[in-house]
Structure formats: structure tokens, C-alpha cells
């Protein structure tokens, strides 16, 4: 295993996602790519959600990368993105030929998952590599 893609978003599970990713990267001497995807609004007429702007995601990946370095990961790259989160994650994983995608479990309830969908579920079903879902 050479490359791990960490899908990061500030949520309650975020610290565990970084800890598990760092543990695996150290054990396997793998490099880590950290991504966070600013979603595009399809139904509100604007391309980017003003409540969830790309700048926030840039800050998130930089903070996550710094934390991974603190946790002992030797090689960390940041790749913030804009678009459909699941599609962007799968495309990045494919283009970089990552060996593992690590993401946090959805922390919303059934109502939230029905209305918003779960990025994690979509990534698990679309990915062409292994996916670790951290709880």
C-alpha cells in the first residue's frame, strides 16, 4: 500500500479519521493525500453553497495535513476540490491510483440521509479501490 486518500470534513468523527489514517500510513510507510470537497448546489441556482464555501475546505485540508504530520505521517499532500463530493473523491482516487480511501461515517439520522444522501455510501458503491469507513 503506497497511497491513502483521506476524505476530511470537520465533524465529530474527524479526529478518528485522522488517527486511523495516520496509524495506517505509519505502519505501511504510505503517503497520504487529504481532500475536502466544497459541494456544488444544483437546485438553488448558484454553483457554490455560500454556507459551505471552498475557502472553508481549503482551511480544513491544511489543518488536517498539519495534524497528520503531528501524528507522524511523513508525506502529506492536500487537494481541496469543488463539485459533487462522491464523484470528486472517486475521480481523485482513480487519477492518483490510491490504494485506500478513508472517510468518516455519516453522522446524520435517517431523515438527513434520505434528503441529503450520504457521501460515504456513494463513495463505497462507486470506488474502484478499498474504502475504510471510520466510526
Amino acid at each position: 500500500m503506497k497511497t491513502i486518500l483521506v476524505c476530511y470534513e470537520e465533524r465529530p468523527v474527524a479526529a478518528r479519521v485522522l488517527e486511523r489514517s495516520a496509524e495506517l500510513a505509519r505502519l505501511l510507510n504510505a503517503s497520504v493525500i487529504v481532500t475536502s470537497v466544497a459541494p456544488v448546489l444544483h437546485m438553488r441556482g448558484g454553483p457554490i453553497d455560500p454556507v459551505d464555501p471552498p475557502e472553508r475546505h481549503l482551511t480544513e485540508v491544511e489543518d488536517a495535513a498539519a495534524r497528520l504530520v503531528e501524528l507522524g505521517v511523513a508525506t502529506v499532500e492536500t487537494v481541496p476540490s469543488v463539485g459533487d463530493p462522491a464523484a470528486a473523491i472517486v475521480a481523485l482516487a482513480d487519477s492518483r491510483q490510491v490504494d485506500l480511501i478513508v472517510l468518516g461515517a455519516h453522522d446524520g439520522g435517517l431523515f438527513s440521509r434520505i434528503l441529503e444522501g450520504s457521501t460515504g455510501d456513494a463513495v463505497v458503491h462507486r470506488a474502484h479501490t478499498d474504502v475504510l469507513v471510520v466510526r
Side-chain angles (χ1 to χ4, degrees):
M1 185 168 300
K2 296 177 183 176
T3 308
I4 299 169
L5 175 59
V6 177
C7 307
Y8 189 79
E9 185 173 5
E10 282 293 332
R11 299 184 302 161
V13 72
R16 289 189 303 278
V17 168
L18 295 179
E19 290 164 4
R20 296 296 182 274
S21 300
E23 181 180 8
L24 289 169
R26 286 190 319 266
L27 287 170
L28 301 168
N29 197 29
S31 63
V32 174
I33 301 169
V34 182
T35 192
S36 183
V37 183
V40 175
L41 298 177
H42 296 287
M43 300 191 318
R44 294 190 195 166
I48 297 173
D49 185 347
V51 177
D52 195 8
E55 295 79 16
R56 180 180 76 84
H57 293 268
L58 177 60
T59 300
E60 284 185 353
V61 295
E62 290 171 349
D63 292 346
R67 180 65 181 135
L68 287 165
V69 169
E70 288 174 3
L71 291 168
V73 178
T75 306
V76 182
E77 177 185 358
T78 60
V79 182
S81 186
V82 175
D84 172 74
I89 290 165
V90 171
L92 179 59
D94 288 346
S95 70
R96 297 297 186 90
Q97 298 179 335
V98 304
D99 301 295
L100 179 67
I101 300 170
V102 181
L103 49 78
H106 191 278
D107 54 2
L110 178 61
F111 187 69
S112 165
R113 289 180 75 176
I114 290 171
L115 286 180
E116 300 170 12
S118 167
T119 298
D121 288 344
V123 170
V124 166
H125 291 295
R126 296 180 194 170
H128 303 109
T129 191
D130 294 333
V131 179
L132 172 62
V133 180
V134 178
R135 294 197 165 276

